Amino acid sequence: MKSQVLSNFAWTDLTVVAFLIFLGLFIFAVYWTFRKGSKDFYDNVGNLPFDEGQPLTGDKK
Amino acid sequence: MSTETNVQEQGYETFSYDDRLTKMFVIATMLWGVIALFLGVWIAFELASWKLNLNLPWFTFGRLRPLHTNAAIFAFVGNAIFAGVYYSTQRLLKTRMASDILGKIHFWGWQLIIVGAAVTLPLGISSAKEYAELEWPLDILVALIWVTFGVNFFLTLKQRRERHIYVAIWFYIATIITVAVLYVVNNLALPVGFMKSYSAFAGVQDALVQWWYGHNAVAFFLTTPFLGLMYYYVPKAINRPVYSYRLSIIHFWSLIFVYIWAGPHHLLYSTLPEWVQTLGMAFSVALWAPSWGGMINGLLTLRGAWDRVRKEPILKFLATGVTFYGMSTFEGPLLSIKSVNSLAHFTDWIVGHVHSGTIGWNYMMTSGMLYFMVPKLWNTKLYSNRLANIQFWSATIGLLLYIMSMWTAGITQGLMWRAIDETGKLVYPNFVETVVKILPMYWVRAFGGTLVLFGFVVLVYNVYKTIKNAPKEQQEETFKALPLSANPIDAHGGSHRKLEGLPLYFSVLAFLAILVGSVIELIPSLVSNQFIVKDSRVRPYSALEVAGRDVYVREGCYTCHSQLVRPMAAEQLRYGRVSEAAEYVYDRPFQWGSRRIGPDLHRVGKKYSHMWHYRHMLNPRDVTPGSIMPNYPWLYKNKVKFGVLPKKLSVLAALGAPYSEEEINRAPELAKMQAKTIMDELVADGVPAKMADKEIVALIAYLQRLGIDMAEDKDEVASTK
């Protein structure tokens, strides 16, 4: 059955296509995040969980 | 009031968080957590001692196992996700959820679904697709409630006061989008009645869609939301930012892109096209990298503060959770390597792996998150650190017992199944030998599970005392922050910065990332159906066999029996000819199963006499000493509903089964005729003739039909017509 399916559509190249798509995306993501001048920006956004807005009332923090 | 006026004059906006909603989900997490874990412990003991099935339909393993998995995933973990997401999202976006009403609809709708599952699954109302067993009315409700959650979430994103969308929110977005796609596609079905439907997909296609869903339910329900929670709660608990925000970005995009491709590793050595299996395996192995990238990022956030991990229960739970995430995402790719999978698949090794993820990662992270949130939400201190420590050690020891017993049981049984002596015969030809051998491990697992449950009960008590001791007057806190318009997109910022500020485009890109894998993986396989050569010997099930198959589905037989003979010498020796894709074209849903607690059944047709099956279902130990299968006495009392058969056949015909008008219209009559031929043999063996209309006869008809259509012996095929 498997050979019949494969002989009917030669889509085995999809594995290579899939790999290339992923490799491209990965390289782009690495380039993107490590681009020049972005360090300060990412350092700042990494601190977002600690900024919940300034409390006005109540006794919680 | 005057303070607020001053604030507004300075350009600030005031707001409060909807913590009431978070509190409701916290309570629900604890309630359903106890129930889900109790169910797990109960069915673990049922496997160790079959008598605990109680001879009652609602308590059998086959019906309670789906309830346990659904309760653990959607009730326990689901409510924990919602609690964690609502708490963190509002704070990360500096805004209240867009709609209190949508939040309430989400909460009560979700609880209604869980109650619906708790009622229907023990009653045997099941579509028999793992982790997607709920029938179509509940499926529609799940979709509606999920969309409600999504709408409220995206409206909240729109009204946020923080330009940048923190990485945790990205994981939530990916979760919301992907779960919606997965759930809707996998549950496509044509209803027969109010609580019965047949899958829109059949056989190999159904298997592929199911495991594309099943695997990604793990990915996008048990993993991505928790990674989002990790990126919020670990930094909050240790009070320092995540180790590398850049790594979190790479982690996110790599993970959501790769995860979606890995589903076929559940179907290795099946009749699925070879290239799909290879693709699934390759991407599963590739998953090591992003998974470990995330784990390392989480653990390194704790760098330099390990002394606090030793002392503070919250950190203890979170650090253990992240560690188990690393361990289970190491084990997962290992199990997807075909040669390893050939040993591990269908064994308890997989069960151990699953629980190292759900208990080690989800349970531990949930516990840490609850200990973090509860004192803050109720404006008090945790009642007892000591009790939290007791829970930690109880759960950890229980989990280790669980995993190690399942490793031992799985590898032992897998090796016994494949052992062939020098004469080419199976060393353990009797399947039950391999079951009896691992029974001690079932007791160890049940004990380990009990420790995990005990730990969670301690958590519930600890949280109950914490809330009880909290101030009675709970005032909703008000915050101030500048509106988004005061914080414009940085004109000089890179495209990523802009992307992160534009949730709509970001969501579309995330959607595309999961779509690429889904399309490449799914469409060729869906199309491949036309290339599966329809073998004229393979016929649709007769009316009585359809009735019997529905009994098989109702009783959850797939939770213990597979219907897939893999292309391996030992399997062929034990079960018979290797399964072929063409044999499944009328199987809606497919019933390949994922665990062989009992033997494979794909070649069971005509292997035993009708009387053997009759005695076996009444008391399996009569014909198989040592069997741990429950008794099914109700099959000898319940009558087959012959009247509904024309409707069932017409729905199956609408889905492609070639039934003639006559076969559909005369279905009850034809079914009774077939029942009579079975009864003739049974009566000769001493069974009373009045049993002809009972469910056991329909089930025998179905079992005797399994895997015989393409038998070499034509006379045997003819005899079943």
Side-chain angles (χ1 to χ4, degrees):
Chain A
M1 195 291 291
K2 273 180 270 184
S3 59
Q4 286 166 340
V5 171
L6 290 175
S7 65
N8 276 291
F9 60 92
W11 291 26
T12 46
D13 291 344
L14 277 176
T15 47
V16 178
V17 173
F19 171 72
L20 291 176
I21 292 174
F22 174 67
L23 188 69
L25 184 122
F26 180 77
I27 291 171
F28 184 63
V30 172
Y31 163 77
W32 200 351
T33 47
F34 283 88
R35 70 195 181 281
K36 271 188 181 173
S38 62
K39 188 178 182 305
D40 290 346
F41 172 72
Y42 286 127
D43 285 348
N44 284 334
V45 292
N47 279 303
L48 279 181
F50 308 106
D51 180 10
E52 297 182 354
Q54 296 169 41
L56 278 182
T57 59
D59 49 357
K60 279 196 289 185
K61 189 158 188 185
Chain B
M1 196 63 193
S2 59
T3 315
E4 289 200 14
T5 312
N6 288 340
V7 164
Q8 281 156 9
E9 281 168 3
Q10 292 161 15
Y12 282 94
E13 290 178 344
T14 58
F15 57 94
S16 59
Y17 297 125
D18 184 5
D19 283 340
R20 194 160 174 270
L21 184 61
T22 312
K23 287 178 181 175
M24 285 156 70
F25 277 111
V26 163
I27 305 285
T29 303
M30 293 189 296
L31 172 70
W32 295 117
V34 170
I35 291 171
L37 293 167
F38 173 76
L39 281 165
V41 169
W42 180 263
I43 60 173
F45 276 109
E46 281 186 342
L47 288 178
S49 172
W50 65 271
K51 286 181 180 170
L52 288 169
N53 288 281
L54 304 178
N55 281 350
L56 292 170
W58 318 285
F59 288 95
T60 50
F61 179 83
R63 295 196 190 185
L64 287 187
R65 191 265 194 177
L67 184 59
H68 162 61
T69 52
N70 278 277
I73 298 171
F74 299 108
F76 170 43
V77 174
N79 277 306
I81 291 169
F82 299 136
V85 166
Y86 279 127
Y87 182 91
S88 58
T89 299
Q90 299 183 81
R91 285 160 174 80
L92 284 167
L93 300 177
K94 295 200 193 84
T95 183
R96 190 183 182 87
M97 290 308 292
S99 164
D100 285 14
I101 291 172
L102 287 181
K104 284 197 180 82
I105 293 173
H106 175 206
F107 176 80
W108 289 111
W110 197 257
Q111 310 316 313
L112 182 66
I113 292 163
I114 298 167
V115 171
V119 172
T120 56
L121 292 175
L123 288 175
I125 298 168
S126 161
S127 56
K129 293 176 80 162
E130 285 182 70
Y131 325 129
E133 281 96 346
L134 301 185
E135 263 300 350
W136 66 271
L138 286 171
D139 285 337
I140 292 174
L141 194 56
V142 170
L144 289 176
I145 295 301
W146 191 262
V147 169
T148 306
F149 168 48
V151 167
N152 199 11
F153 187 88
F154 283 106
L155 288 176
T156 309
L157 272 176
K158 197 163 175 259
Q159 68 173 36
R160 71 193 188 278
R161 295 188 180 82
E162 174 56 55
R163 172 67 61 191
H164 185 86
I165 298 173
Y166 184 69
V167 67
I169 306 278
W170 308 2
F171 280 98
Y172 304 160
I173 291 174
T175 302
I176 291 169
I177 295 170
T178 316
V179 169
V181 175
L182 293 167
Y183 200 85
V184 170
V185 175
N186 187 46
N187 285 294
L188 290 175
L190 209 55
V192 178
F194 176 53
M195 279 290 175
K196 177 69 189 168
S197 63
Y198 290 119
S199 172
F201 309 103
V204 176
Q205 286 181 321
D206 199 32
L208 188 82
V209 174
Q210 157 62 23
W211 285 111
W212 167 75
Y213 161 84
H215 174 75
N216 290 302
V218 174
F220 288 89
F221 205 89
L222 300 178
T223 306
T224 52
F226 272 80
L227 287 170
L229 299 172
M230 175 188 87
Y231 278 121
Y232 180 78
Y233 289 95
V234 172
K236 285 292 279 186
I238 197 85
N239 202 26
R240 56 172 62 180
V242 63
Y243 170 67
S244 167
Y245 195 83
R246 284 167 153 165
L247 182 55
S248 75
I249 295 171
I250 297 167
H251 176 206
F252 173 80
W253 286 107
S254 309
L255 192 88
I256 67 159
F257 187 85
V258 176
Y259 233 133
I260 206 90
W261 299 70
H265 70 218
H266 291 261
L267 301 167
L268 300 178
Y269 296 101
S270 73
T271 58
L272 203 66
E274 187 75 28
W275 69 268
V276 180
Q277 298 185 31
T278 307
L279 190 67
M281 180 184 91
F283 272 89
S284 303
V285 173
L287 260 178
W288 253 322
S291 301
W292 273 53
M295 175 203 67
I296 288 166
N297 211 2
L299 284 181
L300 285 183
T301 303
L302 304 169
R303 72 198 181 286
W306 285 99
D307 56 315
R308 286 178 58 198
V309 175
R310 203 163 50 81
K311 291 175 204 150
E312 296 175 27
I314 296 171
L315 293 175
K316 212 178 267 189
F317 278 104
L318 294 178
T320 309
V322 177
T323 307
F324 269 102
Y325 171 64
M327 280 158 57
S328 54
T329 55
F330 177 84
E331 194 180 31
L334 176 76
L335 289 166
S336 334
I337 296 169
K338 279 186 90 171
S339 47
V340 180
N341 190 273
S342 74
L343 172 70
H345 194 54
F346 290 132
T347 75
D348 280 319
W349 189 351
I350 308 298
V351 181
H353 166 62
V354 168
H355 285 83
S356 89
T358 46
I359 300 174
W361 165 236
N362 300 121
Y363 172 106
M364 294 292 182
M365 290 294 288
T366 297
S367 302
M369 207 169 69
L370 290 177
Y371 285 131
F372 175 85
M373 278 195 295
V374 166
K376 290 195 163 39
L377 285 169
W378 273 272
N379 198 19
T380 183
K381 281 186 176 172
L382 185 66
Y383 170 68
S384 166
N385 272 355
R386 189 161 168 268
L387 285 177
N389 276 322
I390 289 173
Q391 183 209 353
F392 176 79
W393 286 111
S394 175
T396 303
I397 293 168
L399 174 59
L400 291 176
L401 287 174
Y402 193 115
I403 296 171
M404 287 190 287
S405 60
M406 290 298 96
W407 279 342
T408 312
I411 293 169
T412 303
Q413 199 174 29
L415 290 173
M416 289 176 83
W417 287 343
R418 59 163 56 187
I420 298 175
D421 65 19
E422 59 276 9
T423 64
K425 288 181 182 158
L426 291 171
V427 178
Y428 306 98
N430 197 350
F431 188 92
V432 79
E433 281 181 274
T434 72
V435 177
V436 173
K437 188 79 179 169
I438 60 173
L439 271 184
M441 291 299 114
Y442 282 1
W443 285 106
V444 175
R445 181 251 302 268
F447 177 64
T450 306
L451 287 179
V452 174
L453 168 65
F454 168 75
F456 202 74
V457 172
V458 171
L459 173 143
V460 172
Y461 176 74
N462 203 357
V463 169
Y464 165 75
K465 293 294 281 183
T466 304
I467 295 173
K468 204 169 171 225
N469 292 344
K472 295 289 170 269
E473 292 290 317
Q474 295 280 341
Q475 197 185 342
E476 204 170 56
E477 199 175 6
T478 308
F479 295 87
K480 67 169 184 175
L482 289 168
L484 200 60
S485 55
N487 184 12
I489 297 173
D490 181 353
H492 305 293
S495 50
H496 190 238
R497 229 179 286 187
K498 287 178 185 168
L499 175 69
E500 288 155 8
L502 298 168
L504 179 64
Y505 294 113
F506 179 86
S507 304
V508 170
L509 276 184
F511 178 65
L512 284 178
I514 63 143
L515 207 61
V516 171
S518 302
V519 167
I520 292 184
E521 188 188 289
L522 277 180
I523 290 195
S525 300
L526 295 181
V527 174
S528 79
N529 197 36
Q530 58 189 277
F531 298 113
I532 294 175
V533 180
K534 292 257 173 39
D535 192 308
S536 58
R537 291 174 298 175
V538 178
R539 299 166 299 112
Y541 294 105
S542 71
L544 188 66
E545 289 157 5
V546 166
R549 193 170 203 275
D550 287 343
V551 171
Y552 187 96
V553 161
R554 184 189 73 198
E555 299 304 336
C557 302
Y558 67 95
T559 58
C560 292
H561 296 281
S562 57
Q563 286 189 17
L564 178 75
V565 181
R566 296 180 294 171
M568 297 168 192
E571 300 234 335
Q572 212 160 344
L573 283 170
R574 185 179 298 280
Y575 301 117
R577 216 156 34 81
V578 172
S579 301
E580 294 184 45
E583 295 182 84
Y584 299 108
V585 291
Y586 301 119
D587 281 14
R588 294 174 193 274
F590 82 112
Q591 290 289 275
W592 293 1
S594 62
R595 169 79 184 97
R596 286 178 184 154
I597 295 170
D600 186 275
L601 297 181
H602 196 215
R603 298 289 175 217
V604 80
K606 303 286 174 194
K607 191 173 178 182
Y608 305 105
S609 67
H610 296 333
M611 193 59 197
W612 186 94
H613 285 293
Y614 188 91
R615 292 178 64 200
H616 183 243
M617 299 303 295
L618 197 57
N619 182 0
R621 282 143 295 278
D622 271 357
V623 287
T624 311
S627 170
I628 61 171
M629 184 167 140
N631 301 335
Y632 289 86
W634 56 93
L635 299 183
Y636 301 75
K637 291 177 190 144
N638 295 352
K639 289 183 178 174
V640 175
K641 294 186 178 70
F642 290 104
V644 77
L645 288 175
K647 182 77 189 295
K648 286 184 173 177
L649 262 59
S650 65
V651 168
L652 289 169
L655 288 165
Y659 291 116
S660 66
E661 280 290 316
E662 192 196 356
E663 280 174 305
I664 295 171
N665 295 333
R666 290 182 58 215
E669 184 191 340
L670 294 171
K672 284 175 187 169
M673 282 166 64
Q674 191 183 356
K676 188 173 178 311
T677 61
I678 294 170
M679 277 313 294
D680 287 346
E681 193 181 311
L682 288 175
V683 168
D685 287 325
V687 172
K690 63 176 184 179
M691 300 303 289
D693 60 350
K694 300 295 189 288
E695 287 182 338
I696 181 64
V697 179
L699 184 61
I700 291 173
Y702 171 64
L703 292 171
Q704 294 290 32
R705 173 67 194 285
L706 277 174
I708 60 165
D709 280 1
M710 291 171 78
E712 300 303 321
D713 181 355
K714 298 283 188 295
D715 293 336
E716 193 186 341
V717 176
S719 73
T720 65
K721 287 187 178 172

